[in-house]
Amino acid sequence: MSTVEIQKIKFNNNSMSEFIDIFDSRIHEQEKTFVVTANPELVSFANKEPKYFNTLNHADFILPDGIGVVIASKIINQPLKERVAGFDLMGELLKKAENQGLKVYLLGAKESTIEKAYLNIKTQHPKLNIVGKHHGYIDVNDEELVQEMIRLEPDLVFVGLGFPRQEYWIENHLGKFKKGLFMGVGGSFDVWGGEVKRAPQKWIDLNLEWLYRLIKQPTRFKRMLVLPRFIMKVLVERK
Ligand code: UDP
């Protein structure tokens, strides 16, 4: 499978529809799959934190979530096909799961948020089989919850604990499950629960989703300073 390496992280170079087909077949083969959707913040963190870097090495797929990653790939002349936003991929996988009767587990966000997210997902996908849900304020080593999840045999597990906790959680527990696609979804439940608004499609099409988020959640400003630094590093490394 073709990959593009950006700051030591190997991104899978596929379009959204290709990823959906790949994941669809892996779910049906019951092949366990660890999916990371990585933005520049996550890549920068992995470059500072060896433990997290090592966790990402155990992922089966790392997807370019964030226009910064796509820009970086162009700078190094190995263009990634497109940005694959975790939220959009989750939406596509939920559609598949509903049509195919797959079992879904939702883990993450505040208790009230995950409840609202669950109801909104159910409204949009009435036939979807959500076998369980749990808020994300847990110890990443919480064994009781994991045993309960294993018993439910989910085909898809969406883990929204924010990075790095969601990837640590998946790495810690994936080995105990018999099957399933496990994907870190960051703040996606906040969007499903109506706590955070996704940027309007026009902003997304103009590659300005990051700006929309910055305006709506100014507290993210410090986190977002990573973006120009990330691009600078890529430029310097190219030389
Ligand atoms: N969160 C959680 N458990 C924690 C810390 C955070 O479930 O211990 C949730 C938080 O409520 C939010 C998500 O993880 O829903 C992180 O959202 P953020 O927008 O920071 O994630 P990003 O998409 O930037 O990774």
Side-chain angles (χ1 to χ4, degrees):
M1 232 177 289
S2 129
T3 57
V4 173
E5 190 172 316
I6 297 168
Q7 285 182 33
K8 302 203 209 84
I9 304 296
K10 286 195 181 75
F11 285 88
N12 291 84
N13 191 7
N14 294 99
S15 64
M16 171 71 92
S17 65
E18 288 168 346
F19 279 123
I20 293 165
D21 289 346
I22 296 167
F23 296 155
D24 188 52
S25 83
R26 286 181 73 107
I27 292 166
H28 285 97
E29 309 269 298
Q30 303 205 341
E31 206 172 337
K32 277 193 273 185
T33 307
F34 176 3
V35 180
V36 175
T37 58
N39 58 18
E41 287 168 58
L42 186 149
V43 173
S44 302
F45 182 75
N47 274 276
K48 279 191 297 206
E49 178 59 57
K51 178 173 176 238
Y52 190 56
F53 186 83
N54 188 44
T55 297
L56 295 190
N57 270 337
H58 294 129
D60 297 297
F61 294 87
I62 302 187
L63 277 47
D65 184 352
I67 195 61
V69 176
V70 177
I71 292 172
S73 74
K74 289 184 181 156
I75 292 173
I76 60 166
N77 274 326
Q78 294 176 59
L80 286 159
K81 289 187 179 167
E82 61 179 336
R83 173 185 175 211
V84 181
F87 182 81
D88 295 335
L89 176 60
M90 179 181 172
E92 295 298 326
L93 292 173
L94 288 175
K95 275 187 220 160
K96 284 253 173 213
E98 182 179 27
N99 292 335
Q100 301 176 358
L102 302 172
K103 296 186 203 166
V104 171
Y105 196 100
L106 312 174
L107 171 63
K110 288 187 291 180
E111 172 103 59
S112 58
T113 306
I114 195 69
E115 291 303 325
K116 278 188 258 168
Y118 168 80
L119 292 175
N120 289 337
I121 292 172
K122 265 300 210 189
T123 307
Q124 210 157 315
H125 302 283
K127 293 204 194 90
L128 183 66
N129 185 8
I130 303 177
V131 291
K133 58 177 166 16
H134 199 281
H135 67 79
Y137 290 81
I138 47 160
D139 184 325
V140 287
N141 296 311
D142 186 331
E143 201 47 44
E144 208 177 305
L145 173 64
V146 175
Q147 288 307 320
E148 157 79 3
M149 289 174 73
I150 293 171
R151 200 180 53 73
L152 295 166
E153 300 188 336
D155 298 293
L156 284 153
V157 180
F158 296 104
V159 188
L161 311 178
F163 80 85
R165 297 185 78 238
Q166 58 198 19
E167 283 76 29
Y168 287 147
W169 188 94
I170 296 173
E171 186 192 29
N172 278 358
H173 305 298
L174 185 65
K176 302 171 207 163
F177 286 80
K178 280 207 296 260
K179 60 168 182 177
L181 180 135
F182 294 70
M183 173 178 159
V185 295
S188 295
F189 295 129
D190 296 353
V191 179
W192 275 109
E195 305 275 330
V196 172
K197 267 213 166 69
R198 187 96 202 274
Q201 194 57 44
K202 264 195 197 145
W203 289 60
I204 297 175
D205 294 343
L206 290 169
N207 292 326
L208 289 175
E209 186 164 21
W210 60 273
L211 180 61
Y212 184 87
R213 289 185 88 178
L214 186 60
I215 296 166
K216 290 282 170 187
Q217 293 171 274
T219 47
R220 297 179 78 95
F221 182 70
K222 242 178 105 184
R223 284 177 58 173
M224 284 194 170
L225 285 176
V226 165
L227 189 66
R229 258 187 250 140
F230 170 81
I231 297 290
M232 278 304 290
K233 248 183 123 181
V234 174
L235 280 167
V236 168
E237 271 169 26
R238 185 184 61 166
K239 286 188 184 159

